[in-house]
Amino acid sequence: MCLGIPGRVLDVREDAGLRMATVDFGGVRREACLEYTPEAVPGVYVIVHVGFAITVVDEEEARRTLDVLRAMTDAVAGELGEPLPARPRTAPPPADAEGTERPR
């Protein structure tokens, strides 16, 4: 089964010549490659499959999808290595809401 999970881009940086990001999946944070989504900036939601952001989605679609995935705990845990935490009350702001890369 292939599973793409929506997450919010927290930061964007270059690593070994690739655009990389920390992506928040409703409380679980993972690294993802943004090479297929050049329009992705901090604060934007992306669908991530096997470590690659494959498309950009709006926040409402991301939230609906995460709610469905929370109901499918075993599938999500298999993809992320741990279950999604309960839905947060509010999402924390991205590292840089203007899309500027954070300095290291």
Side-chain angles (χ1 to χ4, degrees), residues 1-8 23 25 32 45-55 57 61-70 72 75-76 78-80 84:
M1 175 169 97
C2 296
L3 184 61
I5 300 181
R8 188 168 55 100
V23 180
F25 299 95
Y45 286 81
V46 293
I47 300 291
V48 177
H49 175 65
V50 295
F52 291 86
I54 56 174
T55 192
V57 294
E61 180 64 23
R63 290 191 191 287
R64 280 194 308 262
T65 302
L66 283 171
D67 287 343
V68 169
L69 291 173
R70 281 187 179 91
M72 301 169 46
V76 174
E79 185 72 16
L80 291 178
L84 286 171

Side-chain angles (χ1 to χ4, degrees), residues 8-73:
R8 188 168 55 100
V9 175
L10 298 178
D11 61 42
V12 177
R13 65 194 170 286
E14 186 173 314
D15 186 1
L18 297 173
R19 280 186 81 230
M20 299 296 293
T22 302
V23 180
D24 180 67
F25 299 95
V28 176
R29 292 181 178 185
R30 295 286 184 264
E31 299 303 303
C33 179
L34 299 181
E35 287 296 311
Y36 299 131
T37 54
E39 68 276 29
V41 295
V44 166
Y45 286 81
V46 293
I47 300 291
V48 177
H49 175 65
V50 295
F52 291 86
I54 56 174
T55 192
V56 172
V57 294
D58 66 64
E59 182 176 359
E60 183 57 33
E61 180 64 23
R63 290 191 191 287
R64 280 194 308 262
T65 302
L66 283 171
D67 287 343
V68 169
L69 291 173
R70 281 187 179 91
M72 301 169 46
T73 303

